[in-house]
Amino acid sequence: MEKNHLNPSRINRLYCSQCNTAYDYRTAQTFATCCGKPLLISYDLDTDFPISRIKDRPNTIWRYFELLPVLDEANIVSLNEGMTPVIQLEKLAARNGFDQLFLKDETNNPTGSFKARGLSVAISKAKELGIRKCIIPTAGNAGGALAAYCAKANIAATVIMPAHTPRVFKDECFLYGAELVLIDGLISDCGKKAQEMNKEGAYFDMSTLKEPYRLEGKKTMGYEIAEQFDWELPDVIIYPAGGGTGLIGIWKAFNEMKALGWIKGPFPKMVAVQSAKCAPISEAVKDPIHWKENFTPEATIANGLAVPYPFGMDLMLDVLSASNGETVLVNEDEIMKGILEFTRKEGILVSPEGAATYIAFQQLLGSGKITEGQKVLLLNTGTGYKYLENIIH
Ligand SMILES: Cc1ncc(COP(=O)(O)O)c(C=O)c1O
């Protein structure tokens, strides 16, 4: 990245999301050992940081450097991730008798998904902290992103992935020089394997929300959305939720920008879309105490949505509650239909996860939970090209 003498990071605290206990943000940290919950980072958000300061910076996530946890810009590991386009979906909107339907298209990120954002920040931080080996359980996209950023940073990467993941996700790990371990099962089984392999603590565990840095990268989507909508947020944002870092991160960004004085309320309704084959959030909304007991997760063509036991469940439920949000379920046929509508009407081959957000939009429009005149933003979190094996038989 072009060096333009950024101001120091405004990071001021690392704390347990459950009990608020402070942890040292200058040393390598994983999750909160006090409560077994995610750690969160906070920043000095006084109003002495005008929007104008970022306006002319390079179009990557690092334009928000002061609001990210890396202390020294020399440690930035960037492949030019971020500032992905927001596209107005005129044809899909018209097809549904709607007007203001938009897509934030994460396709153009390095390795083809929004996972690049989180891994750019986390690997930059790993470099800063002198970490030499990382391990990640993944549904596919995060593994490729970790492998690419680790290659650039000279850090060893181990990726643990379900064996049924499309081949390209495995091949890219090999090409970027990562060690790949395949598991018969879902990402939760990969997570168990990662813990087992890391018994001696040889690796830094990059599991979703089991470290605090990937979330900070993901939150840049929220900053960009505000910037791209000229600091007036859309009414509804529809996000395909797996472990939930995008949902939690976007909401975190909105709150930070409000404290900075960059945006005013009201905030959007946040919608978490899940596959009917694996819908832990809607199970937890129905029964927050016993949801795991009668829950049988299955694989889906939207690999990133098959996250049976998200570590950040409480944080996702907080976002849904604070935003008067919704959970929506989509089935496999609907996801396929969504992909074909996107390709044939808009010329975009979205990921199955991205297609799911369009189906959710249709459902919410049908039930009157979205109404004409609102501004709705869908998130296409990755390219569909990596999923062709799932889509075409
Ligand atoms: C394309 C895509 N969309 C959405 C998700 C879900 O992301 P998160 O786990 O951050 O909610 C993933 C995760 O693998 C993904 O690869």
Side-chain angles (χ1 to χ4, degrees):
M1 179 179 135
E2 189 185 316
K3 298 281 180 295
N4 62 347
H5 308 297
L6 301 163
N7 297 303
S9 169
R10 292 177 158 238
I11 186 170
N12 64 8
R13 203 157 175 268
L14 183 65
Y15 63 96
C16 169
S17 55
Q18 174 102 349
C19 73
N20 219 6
T21 296
Y23 286 72
D24 180 5
Y25 66 79
R26 291 177 190 279
T27 58
Q29 300 282 356
T30 51
F31 58 94
T33 44
C34 50
C35 300
K37 296 285 178 186
L39 282 172
L40 296 176
I41 292 171
S42 67
Y43 300 82
D44 282 327
L45 297 171
D46 54 60
T47 46
D48 178 31
F49 186 7
I51 294 170
S52 55
R53 206 174 287 165
I54 56 159
K55 235 180 73 214
D56 298 322
R57 290 190 181 166
N59 277 331
T60 76
I61 62 169
W62 295 101
R63 65 199 275 110
Y64 311 108
F65 180 81
E66 291 90 328
L67 304 161
L68 294 171
V70 174
L71 303 180
D72 180 350
E73 64 182 291
N75 291 320
I76 291 175
V77 183
S78 175
L79 296 166
N80 293 310
E81 51 292 317
M83 214 30 115
T84 52
V86 169
I87 299 159
Q88 185 152 10
L89 299 172
E90 286 173 7
K91 287 177 77 187
L92 287 185
R95 202 173 164 75
N96 290 279
F98 199 72
D99 184 21
Q100 303 219 67
L101 182 63
F102 298 87
L103 181 75
K104 184 152 177 71
D105 189 7
E106 292 289 298
T107 298
N108 296 344
N109 276 311
T111 70
S113 88
F114 73 149
K115 298 285 176 183
R117 297 173 182 271
L119 271 314
S120 176
V121 171
I123 296 304
S124 300
K125 198 64 200 167
K127 181 177 168 191
E128 185 158 270
L129 294 166
I131 288 163
R132 302 300 318 141
K133 284 169 91 171
C134 294
I135 193 163
I136 196 166
T138 177
N141 277 311
L146 178 89
Y149 285 93
C150 277
K152 176 129 184 176
N154 288 323
I155 292 175
T158 297
V159 176
I160 310 185
M161 192 183 285
H164 65 261
T165 313
R167 182 174 164 171
V168 63
F169 291 100
K170 301 169 192 164
D171 288 347
E172 68 177 339
C173 290
F174 164 75
L175 289 168
Y176 291 124
E179 178 191 17
L180 178 64
V181 179
L182 298 176
I183 296 288
D184 283 324
L186 297 175
I187 192 173
S188 42
D189 303 294
C190 299
K192 283 186 202 139
K193 179 72 180 172
Q195 275 179 11
E196 197 185 299
M197 287 178 68
N198 200 21
K199 262 205 278 277
E200 312 291 320
Y203 301 88
F204 188 77
D205 186 351
M206 286 285 183
S207 301
T208 299
L209 288 165
K210 288 203 175 155
E211 53 69 43
Y213 315 119
R214 285 173 65 192
L215 178 65
E216 296 303 298
K218 286 282 190 71
K219 86 177 177 192
T220 57
M221 287 189 292
Y223 279 91
E224 289 176 19
I225 289 166
E227 232 187 308
Q228 290 169 312
F229 279 92
D230 212 10
W231 311 104
E232 284 201 16
L233 299 177
D235 300 295
V236 182
I237 294 181
I238 309 187
Y239 172 80
T245 44
L247 187 79
I248 301 161
I250 289 170
W251 194 251
K252 185 174 192 286
F254 292 164
N255 281 295
E256 288 175 1
M257 283 184 284
K258 188 173 173 198
L260 286 164
W262 291 5
I263 56 170
K264 297 194 180 70
F267 286 179
K269 176 196 270 293
M270 301 296 288
V271 177
V273 189
Q274 300 204 278
S275 159
K277 292 198 167 240
C278 183
I281 310 173
S282 66
E283 295 294 330
V285 168
K286 276 189 277 177
D287 184 350
I289 311 287
H290 302 291
W291 67 271
K292 287 183 188 163
E293 290 162 20
N294 300 315
F295 173 55
T296 315
E298 287 175 59
T300 153
I301 57 167
N303 298 69
L305 302 188
V307 182
Y309 307 106
F311 190 61
M313 178 66 91
D314 296 349
L315 295 171
M316 284 196 276
L317 295 178
D318 288 349
V319 173
L320 294 177
S321 155
S323 73
N324 195 23
E326 298 280 338
T327 57
V328 177
L329 304 192
V330 295
N331 65 37
E332 305 290 283
D333 292 345
E334 290 172 323
I335 292 174
M336 272 307 305
K337 183 175 144 273
I339 291 172
L340 288 178
E341 290 210 26
F342 257 109
T343 47
R344 293 177 185 187
K345 296 290 165 203
E346 299 285 351
I348 305 171
L349 177 48
V350 294
S351 61
E353 293 85 347
T357 66
Y358 171 64
I359 301 300
F361 157 73
Q362 288 185 313
Q363 284 188 27
L364 293 170
L365 190 61
S367 63
K369 288 182 174 158
I370 286 176
T371 50
E372 178 50 32
Q374 290 190 305
K375 240 182 226 173
V376 177
L377 178 68
L378 312 180
L379 275 155
N380 175 33
T381 40
T383 175
Y385 285 92
K386 290 168 91 174
Y387 296 76
L388 288 180
E389 233 175 272
N390 284 359
I391 300 171
I392 306 220
H393 301 286

